[in-house]
Amino acid sequence: MVNIFKIYNPLNILWLVILLFALRIGYIFQLPDNLNFVFVEPFARLLVPSAYELSFPPFLNMLLAGVVVLGQALLINHLVNSYNLLGRSTFLPALMYVTISSLFTPFAILSAPLISNFFVIWMLFKLFSFYKSSDAKSTSYDLGIIVALGSLVYLPFIYLFLAIWIALVIFKPLNWREWISAILGFATVFFFLAVFYYLNNRLTSFYNIWKPLGTKFPNRININYYNYIVLAPVILILILYFFKLQQNFYKSYVQIRKSFQLLFIIFLITGLSFYVKSDFRINHFLLCAVPASVFFSYYFVNAGVKWFYETLYALLLFSIIYFQFNTF
């Protein structure tokens, strides 16, 4: 399976569709009676002329989520190949994104974190462009707007504003105007949101938007560990990725090294921002799928022992499907 996707062949899109269905087959047999899709945060309801919560038939919901995942997978594949992050053109990023976005059954339905991944991908295209740009003020402004728009869809996305400044540190010499441009872009969106609040006589409640950001980081998280055994091969692949990256780090171009540093920062930010939502759900970690898919791809494109990496990937697929049918 992995070797098929190492080759840049458009026919691999067909294999992606088949795999997308196979990795959701367990969820098809246990679809709930109703699935609601909240596509903006409650504080952004004023911007939406209709209901901010949509209800689809469960199968249609899952089908639309599959189309979204496939589109995002192809965008990530284009991103990675455009910036030559793997050293060659391949379909592995698309394969890995489809796989990671199927890890847990809540990943298989439409959700705000899933939609937010479009903003993550959009950000990465612009962040990676910092390296060759002589003046990044307009790009920083655009990135501030993207983070603000993503925050309207899913509030924890707001922490990705830090990724803009970190990217400026990694890719660019210090220029305070570029840092301020990001703030202005972010403030532009929320200024117009404040105007909407004012026009609807709700300006006094505007500050409530920021209250969740003051939530204390939890000391412990209650989870059913049996349901997360599926993460064992994921953790193993990540460990192997770090070993491979360490071996090849100083052999890579400067831009590639800096790009992987930024991806790791984004991986940490998206993973640790879950606590902002009081009704935390596991689908939050879909935000980690974009950088993780690049990490996985880097390992598999550089892995040398075919039987080992093919077996490892097969184990990951088996565990995903197995735990869809067995939730203990």
Side-chain angles (χ1 to χ4, degrees):
M1 177 67 77
V2 173
N3 266 10
I4 295 174
F5 285 87
K6 278 188 174 183
I7 302 170
Y8 189 77
N9 186 345
L11 289 176
N12 285 334
I13 297 175
L14 177 61
W15 285 111
L16 281 176
V17 174
I18 296 172
L19 183 65
L20 197 62
F21 173 78
L23 288 173
R24 283 158 172 74
I25 193 168
Y27 193 64
I28 293 175
F29 291 102
Q30 49 181 319
L31 284 172
D33 296 330
N34 187 44
L35 286 172
N36 293 324
F37 168 45
V38 179
F39 60 93
V40 293
E41 286 286 350
F43 64 79
R45 295 181 195 178
L46 296 176
L47 302 176
V48 182
S50 59
Y52 79 108
E53 185 176 27
L54 299 177
S55 181
F56 296 109
F59 184 77
L60 178 59
N61 185 303
M62 190 183 67
L63 180 62
L64 291 174
V67 172
V68 169
V69 167
L70 181 62
Q72 291 173 345
L74 296 177
L75 285 173
I76 293 168
N77 205 77
H78 177 61
L79 170 73
V80 172
N81 290 332
S82 295
Y83 288 95
N84 198 30
L85 297 185
L86 301 181
R88 67 193 233 191
S89 294
T90 172
F91 255 96
L92 281 177
L95 172 67
M96 295 305 153
Y97 183 77
V98 167
T99 305
I100 294 170
S101 62
S102 306
L103 276 175
F104 303 104
T105 51
F107 285 12
I109 61 175
L110 284 174
S111 62
L114 178 61
I115 300 302
S116 296
N117 274 345
F118 280 118
F119 293 104
V120 176
I121 298 167
W122 190 6
M123 283 188 68
L124 286 173
F125 272 105
K126 288 188 171 292
L127 290 170
F128 290 158
S129 70
F130 277 164
Y131 183 75
K132 292 184 178 180
S133 64
S134 56
D135 187 357
K137 290 194 292 294
S138 61
T139 305
S140 295
Y141 182 84
D142 293 343
L143 283 163
I145 290 177
I146 294 171
V147 171
L149 292 175
S151 304
L152 298 182
V153 174
Y154 188 60
L155 184 59
F157 195 89
I158 199 171
Y159 279 107
L160 279 174
F161 184 87
L162 298 174
I164 304 174
W165 282 351
I166 293 171
L168 287 171
V169 171
I170 293 174
F171 288 114
K172 305 280 294 175
L174 182 61
N175 183 338
W176 66 269
R177 293 179 179 85
E178 294 170 348
W179 289 55
I180 297 299
S181 293
I183 297 176
L184 292 176
F186 182 85
T188 298
V189 174
F190 278 92
F191 170 77
F192 285 108
L193 180 62
V195 170
F196 271 90
Y197 267 72
Y198 173 75
L199 294 176
N200 287 271
N201 297 317
R202 293 181 55 186
L203 188 59
T204 53
S205 61
F206 183 72
Y207 80 97
N208 291 330
I209 296 174
W210 318 106
K211 278 188 175 180
L213 301 180
T215 306
K216 292 184 178 179
F217 197 83
N219 294 323
R220 57 177 300 178
I221 306 172
N222 296 321
I223 60 174
N224 183 349
Y225 291 98
Y226 289 108
N227 290 337
Y228 297 91
I229 298 175
V230 68
L231 291 178
V234 172
I235 294 171
L236 177 58
I237 293 171
L238 284 175
I239 293 172
L240 292 172
Y241 151 73
F242 282 113
F243 275 114
K244 281 293 179 184
L245 184 66
Q246 184 183 27
Q247 291 173 3
N248 301 326
F249 192 72
Y250 290 105
K251 300 176 185 177
S252 305
Y253 292 110
V254 174
Q255 182 179 5
I256 306 302
R257 296 204 299 265
K258 290 177 179 291
S259 297
F260 275 97
Q261 290 171 0
L262 177 62
L263 284 168
F264 180 67
I265 295 297
I266 291 175
F267 182 77
L268 291 179
I269 292 173
T270 53
L272 295 175
S273 61
F274 70 91
Y275 77 97
V276 173
K277 298 288 286 184
S278 57
D279 57 338
F280 163 71
R281 297 179 183 178
I282 193 66
N283 59 17
H284 166 86
F285 293 106
L286 271 168
L287 291 176
C288 301
V290 175
S293 63
V294 184
F295 300 160
F296 278 36
S297 302
Y298 186 89
Y299 165 69
F300 283 108
V301 82
N302 289 286
V305 184
K306 180 180 177 181
W307 70 265
F308 178 77
Y309 66 72
E310 289 283 6
T311 302
L312 182 58
Y313 182 72
L315 177 63
L316 177 58
L317 292 184
F318 172 78
S319 61
I320 290 172
I321 297 173
Y322 177 80
F323 284 104
Q324 285 180 4
F325 288 98
N326 297 271
T327 56
F328 302 96

